[in-house]
Amino acid sequence: MSTPPRRDGSRRVGSLLLAVVSVAAAVLGAGVLGPLVAAGALISLVVYTLRRVGADPPPFPAPRFTLAWVIAALRYIGELVAWAAPYVPFLAPTIAFVAVTRPLPSETATLGFQEQASQIIPVLLIGYVIEAGAIRWRARPVDWLLSLVTVALLIVGETYALAAIANDDPVHADIVAGAMAAGVVAILTAAAQGSGPAEEEDEKRPNRPSGL
């Protein structure tokens, strides 16, 4: 049964808003509130996306204060991530951005890093566009949320790099580095998506992992 165009459009708007909130909170959020908002929006987007494609995520193991439960919970998370990854590829560049941004200092000693990054980021953007075009040429679909998150993070990184150069102030190195890492991961993710066997996306439905 096909989805009515109006409902499909509403779902896309909902996904778009959650993605924008996730990226904005991850980039602009400070202290504890920003990461919490980003994490909440990302979790909502993942659940929303899985439900939209007809997924039925397995329930989390019932909490027990035992070592066996901790091991089971960790195994569950690992298997759940591996199971859901093909359907939420936009998580990969987002996680890479956060993982690189958080531990790095905001300032650098000179503007050398920002100057080099301002030339590298456009290359990453072009590389992603080329990879996405190659996937479409092979008659494979490109995840639009992956493209949205990737382009948004790369534009943010380039903007911060150029702003630092224009103001002669070596700041926002963490965000610039995170954007470059997200771009690399996005290209690899898109390449992995496009290398699989062709399938009819309308007939694809995620199945639960065998161990859950």
Side-chain angles (χ1 to χ4, degrees), residues 18-205:
L18 288 172
V20 169
V21 170
S22 302
V23 172
V27 173
L28 302 176
V32 176
L33 183 59
L36 286 179
V37 172
L42 270 177
I43 291 172
S44 300
L45 183 57
V46 169
V47 173
Y48 189 80
T49 302
L50 290 175
R51 286 177 177 174
R52 181 169 57 85
V53 299
D56 182 21
F60 190 77
R64 293 188 181 89
F65 295 101
T66 63
L67 180 60
W69 176 81
V70 173
I71 295 174
L74 292 175
R75 185 174 64 249
Y76 169 89
I77 292 172
E79 293 181 355
L80 181 65
V81 169
W83 169 66
Y87 303 94
V88 286
F90 55 84
L91 269 183
T94 307
I95 292 174
F97 176 83
V98 174
V100 172
T101 299
R102 292 302 166 186
L104 292 180
S106 177
E107 293 191 31
T108 53
T110 66
L111 281 170
F113 174 73
Q114 286 82 351
E115 290 172 348
Q116 293 180 7
S118 67
Q119 301 174 34
I120 295 173
I121 291 177
V123 175
L124 292 174
L125 181 57
I126 293 172
Y128 179 80
V129 171
I130 292 174
E131 181 60 40
I135 293 173
R136 294 186 68 86
W137 182 76
R138 293 196 295 268
R140 297 296 308 276
V142 180
D143 186 85
W144 70 275
L145 280 173
L146 173 62
S147 298
L148 173 66
V149 171
T150 301
V151 171
L153 289 176
L154 288 174
I155 290 176
V156 166
E158 181 70 6
T159 301
Y160 274 106
L162 293 176
I165 296 171
N167 296 324
D168 196 24
D169 188 7
V171 294
H172 305 307
D174 52 346
I175 293 176
V176 174
M180 289 193 293
V184 172
V185 170
I187 292 173
L188 295 175
T189 302
Q193 272 200 313
S195 63
E199 295 182 80
E200 291 294 331
E201 290 298 317
D202 291 340
E203 297 178 358
K204 281 174 59 180
R205 288 294 182 269

